[in-house]
Amino acid sequence: TKYWKLTKQEKIDIEMIQEASTLLKQGETVAFPTETVYGLGADATNSEAVSKIFAAKGRPQDNPLIAHVANKQQLERLVCGWPAYVDKLMEAFAPGPLTFVLPSNGVCAENVTAGLSTIGVRIPSHPIARWLLRVCDLPIAAPSANLSGKPSPTSAEHVWTDLQGKIAGVVDGGATGVGLESTVIDCTQDIPIILRPGGITQEEIKEITGAVMIDPALANQSERPKSPGMKYKHYSPEVPLYIVEGSLEAIQRKINQLKMEGKLVGLMASTKATNHLTADEVIPLGDNLTQIASKLYDALRTFKNGKVDIIISESFSEKGIGQAVMNRLKKAASQYIELN
Ligand code: TXA
Ligand code: MG
């Protein structure tokens, strides 16, 4: 696996981007940063290249990939058209962390869409992703660049840990920004439906389109999600994670109780809460939901088996980006405990 560390010297960077782009054109897999998480890219029009993504990640074959493009013109070449509200959404949020599910026209390889009639398409805003997409001039299929089931990678080190030796290269562009994946929105109906909450919030979308629905399966575990990827267990840390809701005193009592049982307890919470709580390993996630989102996956990867036996996480507000934070936390957790 080749490793490109991008510097600020533009000339070197362009050479590295060209090398990465050449590998993509040759049908190899290359990981690169986006504004959400690192993606593992391959030529979306080449089914053999795309199958290397599934193999490297150990990804279930029925989970479709997102095609990344440089601009709206490239996006238009992959789909059969869209309702008028999509133009408004694109004006507001593209490039950016929003993935549009639209009717596919079959230009991308069949394994990109896992046989569905729709395709997820997104225009990332990260400068390295944009550069790479422009230079290789191809739609790039890219899921998050982690082993299936693990937290998505927010740094090149995370990618290296998971996929070293299994992929052709990694472009290291430093830590990603948002820290959670894009919002996936089904735009095949009169009213858009959020299939996966993410970087663009429900509130922001509603402001543009007036109406927006949310896949009922996101709130109700017994319904089958409309997005295949949402049914899998995800983002799993090495040890069990409990989300606890309650006062700081109640959370501390829970930690103490687990310690009495002989357990080493890891704690992740807002910085404010961590100032009042003690545990064996404590990771402050920041002062607000935006910071918490950007640090969440790194924290989940930091708690190691052997250092802690259990992770306790504070429960967060579901407002704004909090909806995506809590969606990922609940998928990572084995229990949700309400304390009083
Ligand atoms: O931020 C992101 O979206 C990152 C970066 C790399 O762009 N990518 C990402 O890809 O998170 P992935 O493969 O880890 O998640 C894609 C999600 C999955 O839940 C998948 O099932 C869903 O999007 N998806 C893709 N195509 C779909 C389609 N045609 N219909 C419904 N859901 C789809
Ligand atoms: Mg993923």
Side-chain angles (χ1 to χ4, degrees), residues 37-38 57 59 63 142-153 181 196 229 234-235 297:
V37 300
Y38 275 73
K57 281 182 58 92
R59 182 175 175 106
N63 193 4
S144 49
N146 52 286
L147 286 173
S148 245
K150 293 239 266 164
S152 295
E181 300 84 344
R196 178 179 73 178
H234 259 111
Y235 319 113
Y297 288 148

